[in-house]
Amino acid sequence: SMQPTPQQVQQQQQMAAAAAAAGMTGGAPVDANAHASASLYVGDLHDDITEAALFEVFSAVGPVSSIRVCRDVVNRKSLGYGYVNFNNIVDAERALDTMNFYASPATKNRPLRLMWKHRDPSVRKVGQGNIFIKNLAKTIDNKSLYDTFSTFGNIMSCKVAMDSDGESLGYGFVHFELAESGDLAIKCVNGKIIEDKKVYVGPFLSKKDREASGDANRTFTNVYVKNLDEAYCTDEKLQDLFAQFGAITSSYIPRDNETGEAKGFAFINFETPDAAKAACDEMDGKEFNSKAIYVGRAQKKSERENELKDKFEAMKNERIQKYQGVNLYVKNLSDEVTEENLRAEFTAYGPITSCKIMADERGNSKGFGFVCYEELEAANKAVAELSGKIVGQKPIYVAPAQRKDVRRAQLEAQRAANLRGMPGPMPGAPMYQQPGMPMYYGQGPMHPQMMAAGRGAQPPYMAPQYMMNPAAARGGMMPARGMMPGQRGGYVGGMPQQPGMPYGMPQQQQQQQQQQQ
């Protein structure tokens, strides 16, 4: 790791004095009882580091019980971090004190970043004691940042953001064990000069919190320019236009792959956020070759899609509120009804802003349309008087227009209400059996004619009062009402029902039918 320069040593001594003056005597040793196990988190691992290499490094400190390098479940590539479990906490503390930011050929010359393993994820995710540092010099690495801020309290995690080549991105994070340590570091270091650069130190905010407060959009260096004329779609022309606001690190003009022609937009990256903001404020809307250009902050595709989605949703809601109640839905229109006919019918109730009959791809009417009034009173009057009126050859239906999702939810609610209100079978109502099946459990064998009905034949009709009588099932005669079974006598209503005769036929008609047969 990098040795501190005399200037860094002097700065650290000054910060330690400031911390002492503020009532902080420095970081106390980590209490071993505060951690549930002797496990360390190891970060910033090289992709080729294995468990064997880590065992070789940490076994020099003390007995190691287990080591695990976390890998992707699909391709098994290293995720860049792992865990080392010691047999006792004393060895884990020694490793944390002596091996933090350690680099050797065994680690592929990449410094290791160590911290206690916290089983409770809320310890890592909570914002207390977590600070953000930006505008750092390129020479400041993890150890330099740790040494600078360790005077304010115990540090759980310290990291300088790096690119794929291992170069500093100019910002980093320090997570203190106590929230008071983070507040003191912000008070003492914010605005101070470190390595000839004035640094900013403030509370860490997640991306969600930054977007909610608007901080995510305040600082940017990449600018998007569109609606450019072909004459200005060169790097030289862009330099001439935008170099007045500050140093430009790069510019990019997309071109068509086949023709090589510029697509009319470009990206310009400034060295400082102030230059980018000034370019947006001054150049946005200016005309070049009779074309007004747009200059704004470059956005990611997902961010731009979300912004456009919110914009269109707001426009749609505004349009819905504007035409709420005055836009009418008309259906059951005859094919010969035109928009002129429909307008003539509805203009009698008030001024109309639009009238449209929906048509298919062939231009044929779909049988419904929309009529929009200027005033709500005219729309209500048209609904009351025109719904059910014959227009063309059909009575039309008129009602306030609804959004598709609202109408679908309303229909589903009505359908559910109808199902809940559907009456069940009435008590004592007759039950109808399937062909060939017994009417009740325990009923005897069915009549052959009834059995034939199960195979497709039509069974002879039998009155309900005869269905459960064995004599009727065998084709016998039923005694008259009031007579005991087996007693001789007449029959009420004349002759009994004979096979093939319609039930309830008067006696005279029955005799005539028998004579004809």
Side-chain angles (χ1 to χ4, degrees):
S1 59
M2 187 182 69
Q3 295 296 328
T5 62
Q7 184 182 5
Q8 290 177 335
V9 173
Q10 184 180 3
Q11 290 172 350
Q12 293 170 9
Q13 292 175 352
Q14 293 174 354
M15 292 176 185
M24 200 72 138
T25 59
V30 178
D31 184 9
N33 296 327
H35 305 284
S37 64
S39 300
L40 296 180
Y41 166 88
V42 186
D44 296 344
L45 294 178
H46 192 276
D47 294 341
D48 297 333
I49 291 293
T50 62
E51 286 82 355
L54 290 181
F55 182 84
E56 179 184 350
V57 172
F58 288 98
S59 60
V61 178
V64 177
S65 61
S66 64
I67 293 178
R68 181 167 71 95
V69 175
C70 297
R71 301 181 182 278
D72 188 272
V73 295
V74 178
N75 54 31
R76 304 305 300 167
K77 290 184 178 180
S78 172
L79 297 177
Y81 66 94
Y83 299 95
V84 178
N85 300 317
F86 288 90
N87 288 334
N88 56 74
I89 297 180
V90 177
D91 294 335
E93 290 180 351
R94 187 183 303 113
L96 187 61
D97 293 337
T98 59
M99 305 297 292
N100 201 9
F101 310 115
Y102 170 80
S104 70
T107 65
K108 305 295 182 182
N109 297 319
R110 179 177 292 186
L112 301 178
R113 185 167 57 90
L114 304 181
M115 60 180 290
W116 288 106
K117 174 187 175 183
H118 297 281
R119 297 186 181 276
D120 186 5
S122 62
V123 177
R124 303 188 308 269
K125 296 179 180 180
V126 71
Q128 294 181 353
N130 201 0
I131 64 175
F132 169 70
I133 306 100
K134 69 177 181 179
N135 203 29
L136 292 172
K138 298 293 184 180
T139 55
I140 295 181
D141 58 3
N142 291 335
K143 188 177 188 310
S144 301
L145 192 66
Y146 184 92
D147 293 339
T148 301
F149 286 91
S150 59
T151 57
F152 301 102
N154 293 327
I155 294 177
M156 295 193 301
S157 176
C158 177
K159 180 179 177 63
V160 175
M162 302 285 184
D163 59 13
S164 57
D165 298 328
E167 296 292 332
S168 172
L169 294 176
Y171 65 92
F173 309 91
V174 177
H175 195 177
F176 288 96
E177 189 174 0
L178 300 176
E180 293 80 2
S181 302
D183 296 338
L184 184 62
I186 295 174
K187 179 180 178 181
C188 296
V189 185
N190 185 31
K192 293 294 190 297
I193 304 297
I194 300 179
E195 291 288 323
D196 300 327
K197 297 193 73 173
K198 184 179 180 179
V199 299
Y200 165 84
V201 183
F204 168 76
L205 296 175
S206 64
K207 183 178 180 181
K208 181 178 180 181
D209 295 336
R210 292 198 310 273
E211 290 177 350
S213 62
D215 291 340
N217 300 333
R218 289 177 184 172
T219 59
F220 60 93
T221 58
N222 201 14
V223 173
Y224 170 66
V225 185
K226 72 173 181 178
N227 202 30
L228 282 171
D229 188 75
E230 180 68 25
Y232 289 90
C233 290
T234 62
D235 292 332
E236 293 76 13
K237 288 291 186 179
L238 290 180
Q239 286 281 348
D240 295 340
L241 289 178
F242 291 92
Q244 56 180 318
F245 303 104
I248 297 176
T249 59
S250 64
S251 61
Y252 173 66
I253 304 174
R255 298 184 180 275
D256 188 88
N257 294 331
E258 297 180 357
T259 62
E261 296 181 357
K263 295 184 177 181
F265 63 94
F267 296 92
I268 303 173
N269 194 23
F270 289 89
E271 187 175 15
T272 62
D274 294 337
K277 187 176 185 303
C280 294
D281 295 339
E282 295 292 334
M283 300 296 289
D284 186 31
K286 282 193 173 182
E287 291 190 4
F288 296 93
N289 287 357
S290 302
K291 296 182 72 173
I293 63 173
Y294 167 83
V295 183
R297 181 178 65 90
Q299 297 174 302
K300 294 181 180 179
K301 184 177 181 181
S302 58
E303 184 181 359
R304 188 169 63 254
E305 288 177 349
N306 292 334
E307 183 176 322
L308 291 175
K309 181 180 178 181
D310 295 339
K311 179 181 178 181
F312 292 144
E313 187 69 22
M315 293 174 59
K316 183 171 70 172
N317 293 333
E318 182 182 358
R319 187 170 60 251
I320 291 173
Q321 293 296 330
K322 180 179 179 181
Y323 297 109
Q324 184 71 30
V326 298
N327 193 21
L328 303 182
Y329 169 68
V330 186
K331 71 174 182 178
N332 202 34
L333 295 173
S334 300
D335 294 340
E336 66 274 6
V337 174
T338 62
E339 293 182 359
E340 289 74 14
N341 303 136
L342 199 62
R343 184 182 293 272
E345 292 288 341
F346 282 84
T347 48
Y349 303 95
I352 292 176
T353 59
S354 64
C355 177
K356 178 70 174 178
I357 295 179
M358 309 308 293
D360 56 16
E361 60 276 3
R362 299 181 179 179
N364 299 324
S365 171
K366 291 185 176 181
F368 69 93
F370 299 91
V371 177
C372 187
Y373 281 93
E374 291 183 358
E375 300 177 355
L376 180 61
E377 183 180 355
N380 294 335
K381 189 175 181 181
V383 171
E385 298 191 12
L386 286 179
S387 187
K389 181 180 179 181
I390 303 295
V391 177
Q393 299 178 0
K394 297 180 181 179
I396 62 174
Y397 169 84
V398 184
Q402 294 177 311
R403 292 175 55 181
K404 185 181 293 185
D405 53 347
V406 176
R407 187 168 64 253
R408 183 184 296 111
Q410 183 177 350
L411 292 175
E412 290 178 355
Q414 292 178 355
R415 190 179 298 110
N418 293 336
L419 292 176
R420 287 194 300 268
M422 185 177 295
M426 295 181 62
M431 298 178 61
Y432 299 97
Q433 77 279 18
Q434 298 293 329
M437 298 297 293
M439 183 68 178
Y440 301 100
Y441 290 106
Q443 183 176 342
M446 302 286 294
H447 191 272
Q449 292 178 334
M450 297 296 291
M451 294 295 292
R455 296 188 295 270
Q458 182 68 25
Y461 179 82
M462 183 176 291
Q465 62 266 29
Y466 297 157
M467 292 180 65
M468 297 306 298
N469 191 280
R474 293 191 298 270
M477 295 181 295
M478 291 292 297
R481 183 176 300 176
M483 297 182 63
M484 298 297 294
Q487 182 179 357
R488 296 180 180 273
Y491 292 91
V492 178
M495 295 181 63
Q497 181 73 16
Q498 298 295 327
M501 293 185 180
Y503 177 75
M505 182 180 294
Q507 180 178 2
Q508 184 178 2
Q509 294 182 6
Q510 294 178 8
Q511 294 176 356
Q512 293 177 358
Q513 185 173 354
Q514 289 180 351
Q515 292 176 0
Q516 291 175 0
Q517 293 177 352

